[in-house]
């Protein structure tokens, strides 16, 4: 897999020492370095062993390191490295697609391709990429990707028909497709709606600014008839469906037809800011809404997400019988829906989309969390800027109480846009109250007085030896949604432990923008025992050079798009 942060993988909570030193010794034991390579010193480990090592190594960065030990290992592990390709920045899109055009053997192994041109988080204002050019390059590469099974386009606008035509023609295994839409109209003749027997379909709304909020709320618009015809008539085996964007959305679709769908194998459902009922809907006419009926007839649903926190497009509450949704283990939505779930004891992954804007909102959340003994991951959205609070005491109590309500929690994610922001020392102290916690992600508003992100990471690792991986995201301003906003600094860290289980060093990947918008990126290893930092060749923590990747001895096609991999949620 090739990506900056990588798509979702299965959690691995067992801490082990990095296997790379031992594997390297195994591959290249006692070989002198002659001036010219000798044919007598070739890797003698069986191909099947190399393949199994790569298959059972959870970290793709470790797989990359193994592949660089010898040419034979790289040849065997290339399919594993390039099975999933995710391009998250404009630079990644340009460099990777050009490299793939010159390397048809590499593109042959791609099974999942995710392209994010003009990523809102990672694109400076005005530094936009020609999305038609990127779509054209992918169209050219389609004939070289016969194993492609999943494709997702996440640009500011939907690509032209040519891309969908070539993908349908040259990628016969493609059964999962998705695209974002911007402000351009969606034509009924769009070739996207010619796919058949899809397993996954995603149609999300994207916007790079919030200027549209100055106007009135957008008028609901109907999706093309052929879109519903494709979904309702030609995709009986649909397993995942996502329509719409997070609220507030610049486009609101009338999606009442979705509740008429009957997909026996549906596992994952995500509904954004949309209209599921007419505006003059009589909420007292029937205790069971069409949304309730839809959820009842899909008992195999495992993940359900509602990305809108309110509005008249959705029913005010859910009325689900006890026997409904028996297999649901993941839920994302407002608190008013959370209280109506028939089996809260089965929830393992929870994201509460309702904004916690006052201290009085937390006791209700505490009560809901205590009713979920199986909870493993929790995501919250907090902004107490206008709340009457004690900055130090109240903030510390909030995080401590949240973690104490979830004794089995393994992952904790917080979007906190409170100003003035809390102290990270207090946040670190709260993490100590949850010894089972293995990872966390924190998004907060950047302030000039924040200490260097690397210093914060070292403190977290030392104060919380049970934490195995974590990330920080410092934003320019408050976000109106969970997935829309500009980022000033980002840091991702993995903790390595010694024989005694205590942390010895951290692997770090940091990127961001300087004062004048110039991007920087750096990878390094920090030794916690000796307080020394081992930098990647060509990188400098003091200079934050934006060109350091070009000076690295590692292949650019791998280094640019593959940071060290965590086991993500």
């Amino acid at each position: 897999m090739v990506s900056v942060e990588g798509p979702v993988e299965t959690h691995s909570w067992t801490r082990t020492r990095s296997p790379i030193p031992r594997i390297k010794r195994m591959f290249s034991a006692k070989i002198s370095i002659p001036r010219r390579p000798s044919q007598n010193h070739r890797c003698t480990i069986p191909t099947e062993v190399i393949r199994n090592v790569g298959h059972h190594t959870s970290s793709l960065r470790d797989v990359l390191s193994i592949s660089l030990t010898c040419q034979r290992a790289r040849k065997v592990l290339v399919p594993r490295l390039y099975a999933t390709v995710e391009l998250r920045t404009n630079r990644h899109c340009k460099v990777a697609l050009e490299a793939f055009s010159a390397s048809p053997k590499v593109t042959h192994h791609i099974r999942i391709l995710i392209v994010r041109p003009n990523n809102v988080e990672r694109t400076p204002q005005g530094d936009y990429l020609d999305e038609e050019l990127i779509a054209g390059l992918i169209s050219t590469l389609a004939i070289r990707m016969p194993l492609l099974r999943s494709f997702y386009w996440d640009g500011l606008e939907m690509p032209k028909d040519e891309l969908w035509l070539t993908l349908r023609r040259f990628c016969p295994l493609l059964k999962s497709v998705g695209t974002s839409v911007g402000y351009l109209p969606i034509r009924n003749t769009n070739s996207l709606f010619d796919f058949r027997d899809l397993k996954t379909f995603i149609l999300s709304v994207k916007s790079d600014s919030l200027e549209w909020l100055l106007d009135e709320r957008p008028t609901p618009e109907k999706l093309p008839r052929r879109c519903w015809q494709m979904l309702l008539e030609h995709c009986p085996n649909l397993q995942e469906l996502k329509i719409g964007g997070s609220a507030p959305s610049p486009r609101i679709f009338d999606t009442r037809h979705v509740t008429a769908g009957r997909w026996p194998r549906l596992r994952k459902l995500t509904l954004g800011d949309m209209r599921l009922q007419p505006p003059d809907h009589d909420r007292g006419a029937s205790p069971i809404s069409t949304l309730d009926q839809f959820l009842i007839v899909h008992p195999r649903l495992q993940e359900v997400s509602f990305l809108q926190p309110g509005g008249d497009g959705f029913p005010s509450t859910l009325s689900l019988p006890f026997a409904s949704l028996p297999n649901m283990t993941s839920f994302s939505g407002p608190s008013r829906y959370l209280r109506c779930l028939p089996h809260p004891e089965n929830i393992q992954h929870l994201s509460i989309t309702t904004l916690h804007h006052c201290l009085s909102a937390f006791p209700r959340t505490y009560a809901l969390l205590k009713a979920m003994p199986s909870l493993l991951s929790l995501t919250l959205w907090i902004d107490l800027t206008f709340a009457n609070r004690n900055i130090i005491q109240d903030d510390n109590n909030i995080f401590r109480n949240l973690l104490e309500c979830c004794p089995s929690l393994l992952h904790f994610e917080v979007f906190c846009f409170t100003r003035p922001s809390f102290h990270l020392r207090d946040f670190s102290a709260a993490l100590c109250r949850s010894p089972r916690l293995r990872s966390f992600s924190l998004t907060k508003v950047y302030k000039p007085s924040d200490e260097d992100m690397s210093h914060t990471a070292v403190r977290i690792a030392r104060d919380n030896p049970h934490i195995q991986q974590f990330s920080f995201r410092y934003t320019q301003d408050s976000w109106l949604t969970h997935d829309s906003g500009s980022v000033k600094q980002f840091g991702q860290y993995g903790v390595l432990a010694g024989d005694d289980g205590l942390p010895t060093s951290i692997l770090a990947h940091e990127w961001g923008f300087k004062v004048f918008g110039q991007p920087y990126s750096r990878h390094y290893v920090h030794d916690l025992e000796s307080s020394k930092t081992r930098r990647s060749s060509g990188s400098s923590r003091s200079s934050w050079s934006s060109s350091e990747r070009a000076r690295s001895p590692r292949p650019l096609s791998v280094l640019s798009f593959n940071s060290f991999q965590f086991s993500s949620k």
Side-chain angles (χ1 to χ4, degrees), residues 532-560:
K532 292 182 180 180
T533 300
R534 300 190 301 275
R535 304 178 180 87
S536 298
S537 177
S539 67
S540 171
R541 295 185 57 202
S542 59
S543 65
W544 291 5
S545 171
S546 60
S547 61
E548 62 194 35
R549 287 184 294 257
R551 302 193 299 272
S552 173
R554 289 188 286 174
L556 182 63
S557 60
V558 173
L559 179 61
S560 297

Side-chain angles (χ1 to χ4, degrees), residues 267-270 301-305 327-331:
R267 300 288 194 277
K268 185 175 181 179
L269 174 69
T270 303
L301 276 171
Q302 298 175 359
E303 302 179 37
V304 178
S305 300
N327 297 306
M328 187 175 70
T329 58
S330 176
F331 179 80

Side-chain angles (χ1 to χ4, degrees), residues 7 40 81 89 92 149 157 183 207 233-234 250 280 393 442 468-469 471-472 475 485 491 552:
N40 297 326
L81 287 171
T89 70
H92 296 167
R149 287 170 166 77
E157 293 289 350
Y183 296 100
S207 176
E233 300 178 13
H234 301 298
D280 56 350
Q393 182 177 357
L442 174 63
Q468 297 178 7
Q469 58 194 44
S471 66
F472 296 119
T475 68
S552 173

